[in-house]
Amino acid sequence: MTFTLDRADVPEAGGDRTVVGANLSLPLFRTLSGVLAGHPYLKVVVDRVEHTWHLLDTRVHPFHVNYIATRVLGLTLDELDADLDAFNASVYADPERRFLLGVLSLHTDRAADGSECPFLVLETTEADTMHGALLEEFYLYVRGRVDGRLPLLLKPANHGQELELASVSEAHVPRILSHALFGNRTRTCLNPGEAEGRLRHFRTPAEYEAAAAELGWSDIVAMPRLPDDVPRVAGFVNTAPITPLSHTNVLASGWGIPNAIVRDLDALARRDGLDGAWVRYRVSEDSVTLEPLAAAPHLQKPAWHQQRIRIETPLLEEAPVLALHRLRRTDRDSYGTKAANLGELHHVLDSRTADLTEFYARPRPPRRDLFGHLGARLGEQGASREQLRAAAARCVAETVRAPEGVALPFRLHHLFLTSSPALQQGIGKLKMAMELEAFDIVDPLCLNLQHLVRATPMPEEVTRAITASVPGLPEGGHRMVVRSSSNAEDLPGFSAAGIYDSVTTVHGTDQLMDAVRQVWASLLSPRSVRLRHQFGISLDDTYMGVIVQEYLPASLGGVLVTCNPTRREDFRNVYVNCAPGSPERVVDGSVLPHQYLYNTVEGGGRTLDVGTSGQDLPPRTREALARLALTGRLLQSHFSADDPDDALDIEWLMTDEGAFRLVQVRPYAR
């Protein structure tokens, strides 16, 4: 497809090249556009009063509202900032608004003969509440002024717009959904960053396993799906789709290394000879590149070789097995962070005394705070801070519940270890090998210790403490879930995602004892021992608490993080992933989940990916997930008290009755 352009249509180079009232051709689009997420884009403003439109020079006008205020309405930026939220409401939410704001982005499809076919996509901002008639008017106005040979599709910016467009004929207003537009993106940022290293490309798990022992800190590991036990390296490359909330990407985020989906790596590796070569790997929201280096760079050992995580001294004195609801956050030194956070969650939900508004109290210049937005989300417009606190506590308590269960203290783990001379001798050998950095014998020692832990009988005192505290155990009819709660996980800077074991199919006393030993044994896996050693966490200081919960069947399970993992400066959005059944299916990468962003400031949500299922969840379920996202944001104010901007990582499930249960609350390493 070829487009021509008259000289009169091209703005002069330099200065502000914004165009008012002109028809849009492809060359003019490219003259004015910038690049976002790898695609050229152009901001447009339709003035319904003046019956014209403005094509903004993206280099000069990065914000619609600034342009409208200063260039159209004659305001100063100070005047705009003084009442920014009201101005935003007038252009994004008023059903009788004067201006229609949007973005045109350029995409390319491929025809059957292999030729490229460009097309444009029109969308509003994610918080825009245009009703169906306005969306139709906006599309038709732009369609009438864009070169007719260039296809134009409307992309709903949020779930509300999708519903509004349901009554508008697609023949009249052609459209495309976000997940359909970006679901097959060739390269996708998972965790931004930059690294230089040697690219190691493995096409199968067998290839990876054959080379795993020789991987080092300067390698960049590429394969379809990285295993959860991947060692700490310079970067990750996934050659098949995966979610930013998988265990491996949580590790990448915590380690501060680049991670991306690069679906064309095979072609790149063949073309540029990348496999085994030294490369510069750059990952950002807008771009993912692998650039071959002429020679091996002079690399210094990364800072994490000197990084040290401080953990509190575990308390091994008398500490009983306790119901989760009796724990508080301060009990982490006896029961582990995971169990203590679940106890704290019970307290927050039951007492309703915690201040869950602190995130919204933060200044977001030019705004002094976000209380007005919080009031709108809670249906409490104009409420005082105290009224908002009460409404926030009520919202959270009505949306989620904490799991019932019991927590086994570190004391029981200590009693078990000290009951066996063979275990004590094996731990002594492992500590000596770590001190001497005799890493060639560390793995065999760890594996032998794990076997010993699983085979060693429980001391009678430990067995009595457990069996007396787990309801209904003698009958053996209740299915239980046994989870880790170490003092070396769920810590700021050290999440240990996927490092320790959980056992989800436990019935009766014998299986429970086996499951507890399996969780204890996971503290001595070769990978967990090596990883803690890299962070300076001593084996002497590390103990495992255990959580025993009754199994709850789930219609939907997932993970949310109270941030946008690929765009760190975004304070508005909460990222939600889910799949049918257990949350483990999301984090272990066994399925590609549904993926959503929910705006917890202005409101609204949008679908990023429909995952393995191939279709979106029903509107009522997406509305429920929006409430869950807001709940996660509110809980962030309490669980991230040192800095309300520190994001949380929350695992959750939805029961068959539609109720939400939170099964884990921890810091999200970013």
Side-chain angles (χ1 to χ4, degrees), residues 6 13 47 258 465 474 521 570 579 584 658:
D6 293 333
D47 187 336
D570 178 4
E584 280 79 9

Side-chain angles (χ1 to χ4, degrees), residues 630-647:
L630 178 60
T631 293
R633 176 70 79 206
L634 294 171
L635 288 173
Q636 180 179 337
S637 292
H638 181 74
F639 283 92
S640 302
D642 291 340
D643 184 349
D645 277 346
D646 286 345

Side-chain angles (χ1 to χ4, degrees), residues 57-134:
D57 184 347
T58 56
R59 300 162 187 80
V60 181
H61 303 292
F63 302 107
H64 288 96
V65 292
N66 288 16
Y67 175 83
I68 295 170
T70 59
R71 297 301 181 91
V72 180
L73 301 180
L75 301 175
T76 66
L77 287 178
D78 287 341
E79 289 172 326
L80 171 64
D81 289 347
D83 205 8
L84 181 60
D85 287 333
F87 191 91
N88 281 340
S90 74
V91 295
Y92 294 125
D94 186 348
E96 303 299 326
R97 68 191 73 174
R98 172 180 172 178
F99 301 103
L100 305 180
L101 282 57
V103 171
L104 280 166
S105 54
L106 181 64
H107 302 261
T108 302
D109 204 355
R110 194 168 292 278
D113 63 1
S115 61
E116 292 188 345
C117 303
F119 65 97
L120 288 173
V121 172
L122 175 67
E123 63 181 306
T124 71
T125 65
E126 65 185 44
D128 200 301
T129 62
M130 278 192 201
H131 53 71
L134 272 184

Side-chain angles (χ1 to χ4, degrees), residues 70-354:
T70 59
R71 297 301 181 91
V72 180
L73 301 180
L75 301 175
T76 66
L77 287 178
D78 287 341
E79 289 172 326
L80 171 64
D81 289 347
D83 205 8
L84 181 60
D85 287 333
F87 191 91
N88 281 340
S90 74
V91 295
Y92 294 125
D94 186 348
E96 303 299 326
R97 68 191 73 174
R98 172 180 172 178
F99 301 103
L100 305 180
L101 282 57
V103 171
L104 280 166
S105 54
L106 181 64
H107 302 261
T108 302
D109 204 355
R110 194 168 292 278
D113 63 1
S115 61
E116 292 188 345
C117 303
F119 65 97
L120 288 173
V121 172
L122 175 67
E123 63 181 306
T124 71
T125 65
E126 65 185 44
D128 200 301
T129 62
M130 278 192 201
H131 53 71
L134 272 184
L135 288 165
E136 182 179 3
E137 176 187 336
F138 191 28
Y139 173 84
L140 293 176
Y141 188 98
V142 175
R143 173 70 281 175
R145 287 155 182 81
V146 172
D147 190 313
R149 295 166 295 173
L150 193 61
L152 175 67
L153 302 175
L154 180 66
K155 181 166 79 71
N158 51 52
H159 294 148
Q161 289 187 4
E162 289 180 29
L163 291 174
E164 286 289 334
L165 283 168
S167 60
V168 180
S169 166
E170 288 200 43
H172 189 53
V173 179
R175 69 205 65 163
I176 189 168
L177 299 180
S178 180
H179 61 81
L181 183 63
F182 297 116
N184 293 318
R185 184 183 294 173
T186 303
R187 301 181 194 178
T188 304
C189 168
L190 295 173
N191 192 62
E194 181 176 335
E196 291 183 348
R198 184 178 53 157
L199 184 69
R200 306 294 304 277
H201 185 196
F202 306 109
R203 291 161 182 80
T204 66
E207 287 183 12
Y208 168 82
E209 289 165 9
E214 65 188 48
L215 293 175
W217 58 267
S218 61
D219 288 321
I220 296 170
V221 179
M223 59 188 300
R225 183 173 73 84
L226 285 92
D228 285 350
D229 63 355
V230 63
R232 189 162 186 173
V233 291
F236 294 159
V237 182
N238 296 269
T239 59
I242 195 169
T243 169
L245 300 191
S246 66
H247 275 152
T248 50
N249 196 56
V250 172
L251 291 175
S253 179
W255 294 344
I257 63 174
N259 187 18
I261 300 169
V262 183
R263 300 171 75 169
D264 60 342
L265 184 65
D266 279 333
L268 283 178
R270 286 194 301 270
R271 187 191 72 192
D272 298 333
L274 297 181
D275 195 5
W278 291 94
V279 300
R280 180 176 294 110
Y281 180 33
R282 291 191 175 108
V283 177
S284 69
E285 186 185 21
D286 296 335
S287 176
V288 177
T289 59
L290 283 157
E291 173 191 347
L293 300 174
H298 180 67
L299 296 177
Q300 299 283 343
K301 279 192 174 183
W304 58 261
H305 270 270
Q306 287 76 43
Q307 185 178 5
R308 293 296 178 261
I309 297 294
R310 180 177 176 271
I311 62 175
E312 301 292 337
T313 302
L315 301 182
L316 306 176
E317 296 83 8
E318 283 298 321
V321 178
L322 284 181
L324 288 174
H325 70 264
R326 295 182 60 188
L327 298 181
R328 295 295 302 274
R329 190 159 35 181
T330 51
D331 291 315
R332 60 183 177 271
D333 296 338
S334 294
Y335 298 88
T337 305
K338 188 180 297 181
N341 279 355
L342 290 178
E344 188 73 16
L345 177 62
H346 273 280
H347 170 74
V348 169
L349 297 176
D350 295 339
S351 72
R352 302 195 185 187
T353 58

